Amino acid sequence: MRRTMVAGNWKMHGSLQTNAELLRALVAAPRATCEVVVCTPFPYLAQAQQLLAGSAVALGAQDCSMHEHGAYTGEVAVGMLTEFGCSHVIVGHSERRAYHAETDAAVAAKAQRALAAGMTPIVCVGETLQQRERGETEAVIGLQLDATLHLLGERLPELVLAYEPVWAIGTGRTATPEQAQQVHAFIRERARHRGADADAVRVLYGGSVKPDNAAELFAQPDIDGGLIGGASLKAADFLAIAGAA
Ligand code: PGA
């Protein structure tokens, strides 16, 4: 049985004050049955580590360097993240792929680096609207996945994958449960085909998940939870989504 997960991706949002309110509300809520993770901006990791101490809510980052350490101005190493209690890290988010030219190979290398540090990488894949309309969804996602499968296929159950259609992120336009399920099943098949223990790997859905559509999405057989952007910034919404998982 795969344990469901709900991970909040705060993106570049937050302040010391609003973070404290949000994290205190999450910690005070009854413990969710799914795994709950919050991925904060780097400068807030120390604050979040302190506020989440002793709770069941895990802490994650939104990116990491593929290098162990060295002259990489502006980058953050996995060893630094673990010092601040991070157990998870998002890699290959479509915003990083689009605005920071992250390649599939770089994403795979970051995932490998995170695993080596004992962290769980959340590896994101997803097609743009144009790619979907051209009928290229599976081809695009297959390619995005292959670098990671090639490098880490045997360790796949230690990773979390996230399918986030770019056209559904922050747009209020969610993939239908059927559309999402179809791609999730494809991802699992691809992993199986590449020799990985595909039934053990968790695949999250992300893209405009809200309290009112979460249950339907999470009811799909190959959807193991969600990666939540906007709705993770409101405690009540995030908790409702975790409750649906
Ligand atoms: P959204 O973002 O929930 O705001 O659409 C999801 C994500 O980008 O991880």
mmCIF file of all heavy atoms in Angstrom, residues 126-167:
data_model
loop_
_atom_site.group_PDB
_atom_site.id
_atom_site.type_symbol
_atom_site.label_atom_id
_atom_site.label_comp_id
_atom_site.label_asym_id
_atom_site.label_seq_id
_atom_site.Cartn_x
_atom_site.Cartn_y
_atom_site.Cartn_z
ATOM 1 N N GLY A 126 5.647 17.486 -16.391
ATOM 2 C CA GLY A 126 4.371 18.011 -16.877
ATOM 3 C C GLY A 126 4.516 18.679 -18.221
ATOM 4 O O GLY A 126 5.579 19.199 -18.552
ATOM 5 N N GLU A 127 3.429 18.655 -18.974
ATOM 6 C CA GLU A 127 3.428 19.209 -20.328
ATOM 7 C C GLU A 127 2.787 20.593 -20.355
ATOM 8 O O GLU A 127 1.963 20.912 -19.497
ATOM 9 C CB GLU A 127 2.688 18.261 -21.287
ATOM 10 C CG GLU A 127 1.165 18.395 -21.310
ATOM 11 C CD GLU A 127 0.470 17.827 -20.072
ATOM 12 O OE1 GLU A 127 1.151 17.422 -19.129
ATOM 13 O OE2 GLU A 127 -0.776 17.843 -20.045
ATOM 14 N N THR A 128 3.153 21.396 -21.350
ATOM 15 C CA THR A 128 2.501 22.698 -21.541
ATOM 16 C C THR A 128 1.186 22.481 -22.302
ATOM 17 O O THR A 128 0.946 21.400 -22.844
ATOM 18 C CB THR A 128 3.387 23.652 -22.366
ATOM 19 O OG1 THR A 128 3.553 23.081 -23.670
ATOM 20 C CG2 THR A 128 4.746 23.869 -21.721
ATOM 21 N N LEU A 129 0.387 23.539 -22.345
ATOM 22 C CA LEU A 129 -0.891 23.451 -23.063
ATOM 23 C C LEU A 129 -0.655 23.149 -24.542
ATOM 24 O O LEU A 129 -1.330 22.320 -25.146
ATOM 25 C CB LEU A 129 -1.660 24.768 -22.905
ATOM 26 C CG LEU A 129 -3.071 24.765 -23.500
ATOM 27 C CD1 LEU A 129 -3.933 23.675 -22.876
ATOM 28 C CD2 LEU A 129 -3.739 26.127 -23.287
ATOM 29 N N GLN A 130 0.367 23.824 -25.089
ATOM 30 C CA GLN A 130 0.674 23.625 -26.512
ATOM 31 C C GLN A 130 1.042 22.165 -26.787
ATOM 32 O O GLN A 130 0.587 21.572 -27.767
ATOM 33 C CB GLN A 130 1.854 24.531 -26.862
ATOM 34 C CG GLN A 130 1.779 25.118 -28.231
ATOM 35 C CD GLN A 130 3.000 25.994 -28.499
ATOM 36 O OE1 GLN A 130 4.078 25.785 -27.934
ATOM 37 N NE2 GLN A 130 2.822 26.975 -29.355
ATOM 38 N N GLN A 131 1.851 21.610 -25.900
ATOM 39 C CA GLN A 131 2.259 20.211 -26.078
ATOM 40 C C GLN A 131 1.051 19.282 -25.971
ATOM 41 O O GLN A 131 0.915 18.334 -26.729
ATOM 42 C CB GLN A 131 3.326 19.852 -25.041
ATOM 43 C CG GLN A 131 4.660 20.530 -25.341
ATOM 44 C CD GLN A 131 5.626 20.531 -24.169
ATOM 45 O OE1 GLN A 131 5.226 20.456 -23.003
ATOM 46 N NE2 GLN A 131 6.906 20.633 -24.465
ATOM 47 N N ARG A 132 0.155 19.582 -25.029
ATOM 48 C CA ARG A 132 -1.044 18.747 -24.897
ATOM 49 C C ARG A 132 -1.893 18.843 -26.155
ATOM 50 O O ARG A 132 -2.361 17.837 -26.676
ATOM 51 C CB ARG A 132 -1.863 19.159 -23.660
ATOM 52 C CG ARG A 132 -3.216 18.471 -23.560
ATOM 53 C CD ARG A 132 -3.835 18.566 -22.196
ATOM 54 N NE ARG A 132 -3.227 17.646 -21.246
ATOM 55 C CZ ARG A 132 -3.720 16.436 -20.954
ATOM 56 N NH1 ARG A 132 -4.815 16.000 -21.521
ATOM 57 N NH2 ARG A 132 -3.106 15.662 -20.085
ATOM 58 N N GLU A 133 -2.055 20.062 -26.638
ATOM 59 C CA GLU A 133 -2.926 20.237 -27.812
ATOM 60 C C GLU A 133 -2.340 19.582 -29.055
ATOM 61 O O GLU A 133 -3.066 19.165 -29.943
ATOM 62 C CB GLU A 133 -3.205 21.735 -28.039
ATOM 63 C CG GLU A 133 -4.252 22.231 -27.038
ATOM 64 C CD GLU A 133 -4.448 23.733 -27.032
ATOM 65 O OE1 GLU A 133 -3.620 24.453 -27.640
ATOM 66 O OE2 GLU A 133 -5.429 24.185 -26.396
ATOM 67 N N ARG A 134 -1.019 19.474 -29.080
ATOM 68 C CA ARG A 134 -0.376 18.787 -30.212
ATOM 69 C C ARG A 134 -0.356 17.268 -30.017
ATOM 70 O O ARG A 134 0.228 16.552 -30.815
ATOM 71 C CB ARG A 134 1.066 19.269 -30.355
ATOM 72 C CG ARG A 134 1.203 20.634 -30.987
ATOM 73 C CD ARG A 134 2.628 20.792 -31.539
ATOM 74 N NE ARG A 134 3.196 22.065 -31.189
ATOM 75 C CZ ARG A 134 4.205 22.273 -30.340
ATOM 76 N NH1 ARG A 134 4.797 21.244 -29.737
ATOM 77 N NH2 ARG A 134 4.646 23.479 -30.093
ATOM 78 N N GLY A 135 -0.914 16.788 -28.914
ATOM 79 C CA GLY A 135 -0.940 15.347 -28.672
ATOM 80 C C GLY A 135 0.397 14.796 -28.207
ATOM 81 O O GLY A 135 0.689 13.610 -28.371
ATOM 82 N N GLU A 136 1.221 15.671 -27.608
ATOM 83 C CA GLU A 136 2.581 15.241 -27.233
ATOM 84 C C GLU A 136 2.745 14.940 -25.738
ATOM 85 O O GLU A 136 3.867 14.741 -25.272
ATOM 86 C CB GLU A 136 3.576 16.347 -27.609
ATOM 87 C CG GLU A 136 3.676 16.602 -29.097
ATOM 88 C CD GLU A 136 4.461 17.878 -29.421
ATOM 89 O OE1 GLU A 136 4.940 18.557 -28.494
ATOM 90 O OE2 GLU A 136 4.577 18.178 -30.626
ATOM 91 N N THR A 137 1.654 14.936 -25.005
ATOM 92 C CA THR A 137 1.750 14.808 -23.545
ATOM 93 C C THR A 137 2.633 13.627 -23.127
ATOM 94 O O THR A 137 3.586 13.792 -22.351
ATOM 95 C CB THR A 137 0.337 14.668 -22.935
ATOM 96 O OG1 THR A 137 -0.397 15.841 -23.266
ATOM 97 C CG2 THR A 137 0.392 14.531 -21.421
ATOM 98 N N GLU A 138 2.330 12.443 -23.628
ATOM 99 C CA GLU A 138 3.079 11.263 -23.163
ATOM 100 C C GLU A 138 4.534 11.296 -23.635
ATOM 101 O O GLU A 138 5.430 10.903 -22.889
ATOM 102 C CB GLU A 138 2.362 9.987 -23.611
ATOM 103 C CG GLU A 138 1.013 9.867 -22.915
ATOM 104 C CD GLU A 138 0.333 8.521 -23.070
ATOM 105 O OE1 GLU A 138 0.819 7.675 -23.855
ATOM 106 O OE2 GLU A 138 -0.707 8.329 -22.399
ATOM 107 N N ALA A 139 4.749 11.799 -24.841
ATOM 108 C CA ALA A 139 6.128 11.865 -25.352
ATOM 109 C C ALA A 139 6.966 12.800 -24.474
ATOM 110 O O ALA A 139 8.106 12.488 -24.101
ATOM 111 C CB ALA A 139 6.121 12.347 -26.798
ATOM 112 N N VAL A 140 6.386 13.948 -24.121
ATOM 113 C CA VAL A 140 7.105 14.946 -23.316
ATOM 114 C C VAL A 140 7.393 14.391 -21.920
ATOM 115 O O VAL A 140 8.526 14.463 -21.422
ATOM 116 C CB VAL A 140 6.265 16.251 -23.221
ATOM 117 C CG1 VAL A 140 6.804 17.178 -22.152
ATOM 118 C CG2 VAL A 140 6.227 16.952 -24.578
ATOM 119 N N ILE A 141 6.378 13.828 -21.303
ATOM 120 C CA ILE A 141 6.555 13.333 -19.938
ATOM 121 C C ILE A 141 7.485 12.119 -19.910
ATOM 122 O O ILE A 141 8.310 11.971 -19.012
ATOM 123 C CB ILE A 141 5.178 13.046 -19.321
ATOM 124 C CG1 ILE A 141 4.533 14.397 -19.035
ATOM 125 C CG2 ILE A 141 5.275 12.207 -18.052
ATOM 126 C CD1 ILE A 141 3.100 14.354 -18.716
ATOM 127 N N GLY A 142 7.381 11.295 -20.929
ATOM 128 C CA GLY A 142 8.277 10.144 -21.031
ATOM 129 C C GLY A 142 9.730 10.584 -21.049
ATOM 130 O O GLY A 142 10.579 10.065 -20.318
ATOM 131 N N LEU A 143 10.019 11.609 -21.848
ATOM 132 C CA LEU A 143 11.393 12.110 -21.937
ATOM 133 C C LEU A 143 11.848 12.733 -20.621
ATOM 134 O O LEU A 143 12.969 12.522 -20.167
ATOM 135 C CB LEU A 143 11.504 13.159 -23.046
ATOM 136 C CG LEU A 143 11.735 12.633 -24.458
ATOM 137 C CD1 LEU A 143 11.853 13.795 -25.432
ATOM 138 C CD2 LEU A 143 12.996 11.764 -24.507
ATOM 139 N N GLN A 144 10.952 13.524 -20.010
ATOM 140 C CA GLN A 144 11.311 14.161 -18.734
ATOM 141 C C GLN A 144 11.643 13.107 -17.680
ATOM 142 O O GLN A 144 12.544 13.291 -16.865
ATOM 143 C CB GLN A 144 10.146 15.032 -18.245
ATOM 144 C CG GLN A 144 9.950 16.296 -19.070
ATOM 145 C CD GLN A 144 8.731 17.095 -18.630
ATOM 146 O OE1 GLN A 144 7.848 16.566 -17.966
ATOM 147 N NE2 GLN A 144 8.673 18.349 -19.008
ATOM 148 N N LEU A 145 10.903 12.015 -17.703
ATOM 149 C CA LEU A 145 11.102 10.965 -16.703
ATOM 150 C C LEU A 145 12.347 10.123 -16.949
ATOM 151 O O LEU A 145 12.980 9.655 -16.008
ATOM 152 C CB LEU A 145 9.919 9.987 -16.750
ATOM 153 C CG LEU A 145 8.706 10.232 -15.911
ATOM 154 C CD1 LEU A 145 7.719 9.099 -16.156
ATOM 155 C CD2 LEU A 145 9.085 10.280 -14.431
ATOM 156 N N ASP A 146 12.664 9.934 -18.213
ATOM 157 C CA ASP A 146 13.680 8.938 -18.539
ATOM 158 C C ASP A 146 15.041 9.205 -17.899
ATOM 159 O O ASP A 146 15.719 8.275 -17.485
ATOM 160 C CB ASP A 146 13.811 8.778 -20.051
ATOM 161 C CG ASP A 146 12.705 7.870 -20.602
ATOM 162 O OD1 ASP A 146 11.952 7.308 -19.769
ATOM 163 O OD2 ASP A 146 12.589 7.733 -21.832
ATOM 164 N N ALA A 147 15.415 10.487 -17.818
ATOM 165 C CA ALA A 147 16.724 10.785 -17.226
ATOM 166 C C ALA A 147 16.759 10.298 -15.779
ATOM 167 O O ALA A 147 17.740 9.685 -15.330
ATOM 168 C CB ALA A 147 16.995 12.285 -17.281
ATOM 169 N N THR A 148 15.677 10.532 -15.056
ATOM 170 C CA THR A 148 15.605 10.097 -13.661
ATOM 171 C C THR A 148 15.515 8.571 -13.574
ATOM 172 O O THR A 148 16.183 7.953 -12.742
ATOM 173 C CB THR A 148 14.386 10.757 -12.973
ATOM 174 O OG1 THR A 148 14.602 12.179 -12.954
ATOM 175 C CG2 THR A 148 14.215 10.270 -11.546
ATOM 176 N N LEU A 149 14.723 7.971 -14.452
ATOM 177 C CA LEU A 149 14.591 6.502 -14.425
ATOM 178 C C LEU A 149 15.924 5.842 -14.751
ATOM 179 O O LEU A 149 16.289 4.826 -14.152
ATOM 180 C CB LEU A 149 13.523 6.057 -15.431
ATOM 181 C CG LEU A 149 12.081 6.413 -15.067
ATOM 182 C CD1 LEU A 149 11.128 6.028 -16.198
ATOM 183 C CD2 LEU A 149 11.662 5.726 -13.766
ATOM 184 N N HIS A 150 16.644 6.440 -15.679
ATOM 185 C CA HIS A 150 17.928 5.882 -16.091
ATOM 186 C C HIS A 150 18.924 5.914 -14.922
ATOM 187 O O HIS A 150 19.622 4.943 -14.650
ATOM 188 C CB HIS A 150 18.459 6.685 -17.278
ATOM 189 C CG HIS A 150 19.757 6.179 -17.805
ATOM 190 N ND1 HIS A 150 19.858 5.000 -18.514
ATOM 191 C CD2 HIS A 150 21.007 6.671 -17.696
ATOM 192 C CE1 HIS A 150 21.128 4.797 -18.811
ATOM 193 N NE2 HIS A 150 21.855 5.798 -18.333
ATOM 194 N N LEU A 151 18.937 7.054 -14.235
ATOM 195 C CA LEU A 151 19.919 7.238 -13.155
ATOM 196 C C LEU A 151 19.494 6.521 -11.874
ATOM 197 O O LEU A 151 20.318 5.986 -11.143
ATOM 198 C CB LEU A 151 20.054 8.746 -12.885
ATOM 199 C CG LEU A 151 21.317 9.254 -12.214
ATOM 200 C CD1 LEU A 151 22.532 8.947 -13.067
ATOM 201 C CD2 LEU A 151 21.222 10.764 -11.992
ATOM 202 N N LEU A 152 18.194 6.514 -11.598
ATOM 203 C CA LEU A 152 17.717 6.114 -10.261
ATOM 204 C C LEU A 152 16.624 5.042 -10.295
ATOM 205 O O LEU A 152 15.923 4.857 -9.298
ATOM 206 C CB LEU A 152 17.173 7.352 -9.526
ATOM 207 C CG LEU A 152 18.169 8.480 -9.324
ATOM 208 C CD1 LEU A 152 17.462 9.733 -8.860
ATOM 209 C CD2 LEU A 152 19.239 8.073 -8.313
ATOM 210 N N GLY A 153 16.480 4.380 -11.423
ATOM 211 C CA GLY A 153 15.385 3.418 -11.594
ATOM 212 C C GLY A 153 15.196 2.479 -10.416
ATOM 213 O O GLY A 153 14.087 2.304 -9.909
ATOM 214 N N GLU A 154 16.308 1.886 -9.939
ATOM 215 C CA GLU A 154 16.183 0.907 -8.848
ATOM 216 C C GLU A 154 15.721 1.551 -7.548
ATOM 217 O O GLU A 154 15.151 0.894 -6.692
ATOM 218 C CB GLU A 154 17.529 0.223 -8.578
ATOM 219 C CG GLU A 154 17.878 -0.848 -9.579
ATOM 220 C CD GLU A 154 19.344 -0.790 -9.961
ATOM 221 O OE1 GLU A 154 20.198 -0.746 -9.056
ATOM 222 O OE2 GLU A 154 19.615 -0.772 -11.177
ATOM 223 N N ARG A 155 16.007 2.820 -7.410
ATOM 224 C CA ARG A 155 15.666 3.506 -6.151
ATOM 225 C C ARG A 155 14.337 4.258 -6.257
ATOM 226 O O ARG A 155 13.996 5.024 -5.364
ATOM 227 C CB ARG A 155 16.801 4.462 -5.765
ATOM 228 C CG ARG A 155 18.126 3.722 -5.602
ATOM 229 C CD ARG A 155 19.177 4.592 -4.972
ATOM 230 N NE ARG A 155 18.853 4.938 -3.590
ATOM 231 C CZ ARG A 155 19.600 5.749 -2.838
ATOM 232 N NH1 ARG A 155 20.681 6.293 -3.352
ATOM 233 N NH2 ARG A 155 19.252 6.019 -1.595
ATOM 234 N N LEU A 156 13.620 4.016 -7.328
ATOM 235 C CA LEU A 156 12.398 4.789 -7.574
ATOM 236 C C LEU A 156 11.418 4.807 -6.391
ATOM 237 O O LEU A 156 10.840 5.851 -6.097
ATOM 238 C CB LEU A 156 11.704 4.287 -8.837
ATOM 239 C CG LEU A 156 10.859 5.336 -9.524
ATOM 240 C CD1 LEU A 156 11.703 6.494 -10.015
ATOM 241 C CD2 LEU A 156 10.061 4.734 -10.671
ATOM 242 N N PRO A 157 11.227 3.675 -5.694
ATOM 243 C CA PRO A 157 10.292 3.730 -4.564
ATOM 244 C C PRO A 157 10.696 4.714 -3.464
ATOM 245 O O PRO A 157 9.862 5.112 -2.653
ATOM 246 C CB PRO A 157 10.303 2.287 -4.034
ATOM 247 C CG PRO A 157 10.687 1.463 -5.209
ATOM 248 C CD PRO A 157 11.678 2.305 -5.967
ATOM 249 N N GLU A 158 11.955 5.143 -3.469
ATOM 250 C CA GLU A 158 12.395 6.123 -2.460
ATOM 251 C C GLU A 158 12.101 7.555 -2.914
ATOM 252 O O GLU A 158 12.230 8.496 -2.136
ATOM 253 C CB GLU A 158 13.905 6.000 -2.219
ATOM 254 C CG GLU A 158 14.323 4.663 -1.641
ATOM 255 C CD GLU A 158 15.836 4.509 -1.710
ATOM 256 O OE1 GLU A 158 16.548 5.244 -1.007
ATOM 257 O OE2 GLU A 158 16.302 3.661 -2.491
ATOM 258 N N LEU A 159 11.739 7.696 -4.177
ATOM 259 C CA LEU A 159 11.416 9.022 -4.717
ATOM 260 C C LEU A 159 9.910 9.250 -4.644
ATOM 261 O O LEU A 159 9.137 8.307 -4.497
ATOM 262 C CB LEU A 159 11.751 9.062 -6.205
ATOM 263 C CG LEU A 159 13.094 9.540 -6.704
ATOM 264 C CD1 LEU A 159 14.192 8.588 -6.288
ATOM 265 C CD2 LEU A 159 13.060 9.636 -8.215
ATOM 266 N N VAL A 160 9.514 10.488 -4.829
ATOM 267 C CA VAL A 160 8.113 10.801 -5.081
ATOM 268 C C VAL A 160 8.090 11.509 -6.428
ATOM 269 O O VAL A 160 8.938 12.370 -6.696
ATOM 270 C CB VAL A 160 7.543 11.708 -3.964
ATOM 271 C CG1 VAL A 160 6.139 12.171 -4.306
ATOM 272 C CG2 VAL A 160 7.543 10.972 -2.628
ATOM 273 N N LEU A 161 7.181 11.108 -7.295
ATOM 274 C CA LEU A 161 7.027 11.799 -8.577
ATOM 275 C C LEU A 161 5.801 12.704 -8.488
ATOM 276 O O LEU A 161 4.879 12.429 -7.715
ATOM 277 C CB LEU A 161 6.843 10.788 -9.721
ATOM 278 C CG LEU A 161 7.968 9.762 -9.910
ATOM 279 C CD1 LEU A 161 7.609 8.776 -11.021
ATOM 280 C CD2 LEU A 161 9.288 10.465 -10.242
ATOM 281 N N ALA A 162 5.805 13.776 -9.249
ATOM 282 C CA ALA A 162 4.638 14.660 -9.261
ATOM 283 C C ALA A 162 4.309 15.025 -10.696
ATOM 284 O O ALA A 162 5.180 15.529 -11.427
ATOM 285 C CB ALA A 162 4.900 15.917 -8.443
ATOM 286 N N TYR A 163 3.072 14.752 -11.086
ATOM 287 C CA TYR A 163 2.599 15.176 -12.404
ATOM 288 C C TYR A 163 1.891 16.508 -12.253
ATOM 289 O O TYR A 163 0.888 16.611 -11.544
ATOM 290 C CB TYR A 163 1.638 14.141 -12.999
ATOM 291 C CG TYR A 163 0.914 14.672 -14.213
ATOM 292 C CD1 TYR A 163 1.636 15.197 -15.304
ATOM 293 C CD2 TYR A 163 -0.475 14.682 -14.287
ATOM 294 C CE1 TYR A 163 0.979 15.720 -16.409
ATOM 295 C CE2 TYR A 163 -1.137 15.198 -15.402
ATOM 296 C CZ TYR A 163 -0.400 15.713 -16.463
ATOM 297 O OH TYR A 163 -1.056 16.235 -17.549
ATOM 298 N N GLU A 164 2.471 17.524 -12.886
ATOM 299 C CA GLU A 164 1.886 18.864 -12.820
ATOM 300 C C GLU A 164 1.755 19.432 -14.229
ATOM 301 O O GLU A 164 2.728 19.993 -14.762
ATOM 302 C CB GLU A 164 2.776 19.792 -11.985
ATOM 303 C CG GLU A 164 2.913 19.372 -10.549
ATOM 304 C CD GLU A 164 3.245 20.561 -9.657
ATOM 305 O OE1 GLU A 164 4.237 21.258 -9.938
ATOM 306 O OE2 GLU A 164 2.489 20.805 -8.713
ATOM 307 N N PRO A 165 0.575 19.292 -14.833
ATOM 308 C CA PRO A 165 0.398 19.902 -16.154
ATOM 309 C C PRO A 165 0.601 21.410 -16.047
ATOM 310 O O PRO A 165 -0.012 22.060 -15.195
ATOM 311 C CB PRO A 165 -1.042 19.547 -16.535
ATOM 312 C CG PRO A 165 -1.706 19.039 -15.301
ATOM 313 C CD PRO A 165 -0.649 18.664 -14.317
ATOM 314 N N VAL A 166 1.488 21.957 -16.853
ATOM 315 C CA VAL A 166 1.854 23.376 -16.729
ATOM 316 C C VAL A 166 0.625 24.267 -16.878
ATOM 317 O O VAL A 166 0.480 25.280 -16.187
ATOM 318 C CB VAL A 166 2.944 23.734 -17.781
ATOM 319 C CG1 VAL A 166 3.281 25.219 -17.724
ATOM 320 C CG2 VAL A 166 4.197 22.897 -17.544
ATOM 321 N N TRP A 167 -0.307 23.863 -17.735
ATOM 322 C CA TRP A 167 -1.511 24.663 -17.998
ATOM 323 C C TRP A 167 -2.470 24.673 -16.810
ATOM 324 O O TRP A 167 -3.424 25.448 -16.796
ATOM 325 C CB TRP A 167 -2.219 24.147 -19.256
ATOM 326 C CG TRP A 167 -2.396 22.654 -19.289
ATOM 327 C CD1 TRP A 167 -1.492 21.735 -19.776
ATOM 328 C CD2 TRP A 167 -3.506 21.900 -18.799
ATOM 329 N NE1 TRP A 167 -1.982 20.465 -19.609
ATOM 330 C CE2 TRP A 167 -3.219 20.536 -19.020
ATOM 331 C CE3 TRP A 167 -4.724 22.242 -18.195
ATOM 332 C CZ2 TRP A 167 -4.095 19.519 -18.665
ATOM 333 C CZ3 TRP A 167 -5.602 21.227 -17.843
ATOM 334 C CH2 TRP A 167 -5.279 19.880 -18.074
#
